[in-house]
Amino acid sequence: MLTKEKQLKKYILLMITLVIVLIASVRLYIDVVNNKKVFDSKVETVINQIQILVSLEQNKIKDFYTSRASYLLQNKAIIKSIKDKDRDKLYQLILKNYNILKDENKFFSLMHFHLPDGKSFLRMHKRDVYGDNLLEARPIIAHVHKNHKEVDGFEVGKRLHNSEALQYRMVYPIFDADGFYLGALEFGVSSSQIVLATLEILNYTHQEDKNNIQIALLHSSKMLHHEDGKHHLYKIGPYNLAKHSDFFENILKDKLEFSKNSSIIKKDSRTYLLQWNQVLLKNHENKTDGTVLVSFDITKDERDYYNSLFK
């Protein structure tokens, strides 16, 4: 009798233990799922914000330079100098406005007049370089020459300047009073403006994660030679960093699997979640020519997660 009672007690104790373990396991699972949902939601929120902020910054830039182009191309003397192909006269007429544009925006990088045959007529940022044909090297210019309509988009230039490969470019057709096509006016802004403006707002709206979020632009262009003829930019799979970045070049020494859209990288006792192909960069034909690379320092999130498992 006593033996059966002992067996029953052992059985009951075992069942109680199993129930406790089961409840603990279920609770742990729920905690893990909830923690993951919270983290995934935070990442999704940031990605959506980046998408919106990049688009807003592009629109702001485009509106600004469209108004400047409209003002300049209403000037009859400027139109006449282009029609007469008087490069020196055009330079003198534009110089004051060009200097104002540089003073207005430190990220303003180029102002370029193009002839209908594809040749460069006047680079305000490099006056002595002209006459080179850009129809193959610059698809956005070829597009405007063919369609005579203004376009904008991300594009790499013929040469890199100070490792600023990727520019956000706006190109406007030029016509005389009779509607005859005279060429195109191009403005270019460093992609750094979009990166820094986006980061500034992200850091303001995510104070708890300030400086834990980093972004960079990747592009797929193969035209990546500096003025000295050498390749200077950091290559990541099928992409290239749009601008030199110690941070990304350090953590990306390990290859990313670009067949996926995210990766976890551990570097220097830190853990980073990298995501790409969520926010895309479009060229003048609205085709994807790059992506925004986003890095989240999740070291604290990872530590908090493991600590929660042993509460």
Side-chain angles (χ1 to χ4, degrees):
M1 188 71 179
L2 290 174
T3 302
K4 288 185 177 181
E5 288 180 357
K6 287 182 178 179
Q7 288 178 344
L8 182 58
K9 287 180 180 179
K10 285 183 179 179
Y11 177 75
I12 293 173
L13 183 61
L14 177 61
M15 292 304 296
I16 292 172
T17 303
L18 289 174
V19 170
I20 292 172
V21 170
L22 179 60
I23 293 173
S25 299
V26 171
R27 181 180 175 184
L28 177 61
Y29 174 76
I30 293 173
D31 287 343
V32 169
V33 171
N34 287 338
N35 285 339
K36 187 176 186 306
K37 284 183 178 178
V38 170
F39 179 73
D40 288 347
S41 176
K42 182 167 72 172
V43 170
E44 183 180 2
T45 297
V46 172
I47 293 293
N48 289 338
Q49 281 187 312
I50 292 173
Q51 177 75 70
I52 293 169
L53 291 172
V54 167
S55 179
L56 287 175
E57 190 64 22
Q58 282 182 235
N59 289 336
K60 185 178 80 172
I61 293 169
K62 182 182 177 182
D63 289 346
F64 182 87
Y65 287 101
T66 296
S67 67
R68 298 303 186 271
S70 177
Y71 170 77
L72 292 172
L73 298 181
Q74 289 177 12
N75 186 308
K76 293 181 180 179
I78 289 175
I79 296 300
K80 185 177 186 305
S81 65
I82 297 171
K83 192 171 185 177
D84 295 342
K85 296 183 180 179
D86 190 337
R87 185 178 296 104
D88 292 335
K89 181 66 174 177
L90 177 60
Y91 180 81
Q92 293 301 325
L93 289 170
I94 292 292
L95 185 58
K96 180 179 178 180
N97 288 287
Y98 175 66
N99 288 330
I100 291 174
L101 288 170
K102 288 197 298 180
D103 291 338
E104 285 177 328
N105 182 8
K106 65 180 180 180
F107 296 105
F108 174 70
S109 56
L110 63 91
M111 183 178 187
H112 193 169
F113 289 89
H114 303 263
L115 295 177
D117 62 1
K119 291 181 180 179
S120 167
F121 181 57
L122 173 63
R123 291 176 170 94
M124 291 299 295
H125 55 290
K126 193 166 288 191
R127 182 185 181 185
D128 297 329
V129 180
Y130 57 85
D132 47 324
N133 195 299
L134 299 171
L135 289 179
E136 290 188 14
R138 300 292 316 287
I140 193 171
I141 302 303
H143 182 93
V144 174
H145 286 331
K146 179 180 179 180
N147 298 286
H148 299 176
K149 294 181 179 179
E150 67 180 65
V151 292
D152 64 282
F154 290 94
E155 186 173 284
V156 174
K158 184 177 179 181
R159 296 286 181 184
L160 306 187
H161 305 290
N162 301 319
S163 295
E164 287 280 356
L166 191 64
Q167 307 281 323
Y168 179 59
R169 301 171 187 270
M170 299 135 286
V171 186
Y172 305 91
I174 303 171
F175 302 97
D176 66 10
D178 298 320
F180 184 77
Y181 181 66
L182 300 177
L185 166 61
E186 175 187 12
F187 290 126
V189 174
S190 165
S191 57
S192 293
Q193 176 171 346
I194 295 171
V195 170
L196 294 176
T198 301
L199 273 176
E200 182 179 3
I201 297 176
L202 282 177
N203 286 330
Y204 179 77
T205 56
H206 296 272
Q207 290 290 325
E208 73 283 3
D209 292 312
K210 191 172 183 180
N211 301 321
N212 285 342
I213 304 170
Q214 298 289 335
I215 65 174
L217 304 187
L218 301 178
H219 62 92
S220 55
S221 175
K222 296 179 180 178
M223 301 188 64
L224 291 169
H225 291 91
H226 199 269
E227 292 171 316
D228 58 12
K230 297 179 181 179
H231 183 107
H232 285 268
L233 292 181
Y234 195 84
K235 190 166 180 63
I236 310 168
Y239 294 110
N240 298 273
L241 273 177
K243 180 177 173 60
H244 169 71
S245 166
D246 288 332
F247 173 77
F248 279 104
E249 290 175 25
N250 180 45
I251 67 171
L252 292 175
K253 288 180 180 177
D254 300 318
K255 293 183 178 179
L256 296 178
E257 293 183 47
F258 274 92
S259 58
K260 302 178 181 179
N261 291 326
S262 64
S263 181
I264 298 288
I265 290 181
K266 292 183 180 292
K267 200 77 175 177
D268 301 327
S269 301
R270 310 295 297 179
T271 304
Y272 302 96
L273 168 65
L274 274 69
Q275 289 206 338
W276 56 92
N277 290 337
Q278 305 293 318
V279 182
L280 303 176
L281 305 179
K282 303 290 187 176
N283 64 13
H284 63 284
E285 294 180 313
N286 204 35
K287 295 179 180 178
T288 300
D289 200 35
T291 180
V292 178
L293 175 65
V294 186
S295 169
F296 301 90
D297 186 334
I298 60 171
T299 308
K300 182 178 182 299
D301 298 274
E302 185 180 52
R303 184 172 59 249
D304 292 345
Y305 164 71
Y306 283 118
N307 288 339
S308 70
L309 299 182
F310 301 101
K311 283 183 178 179

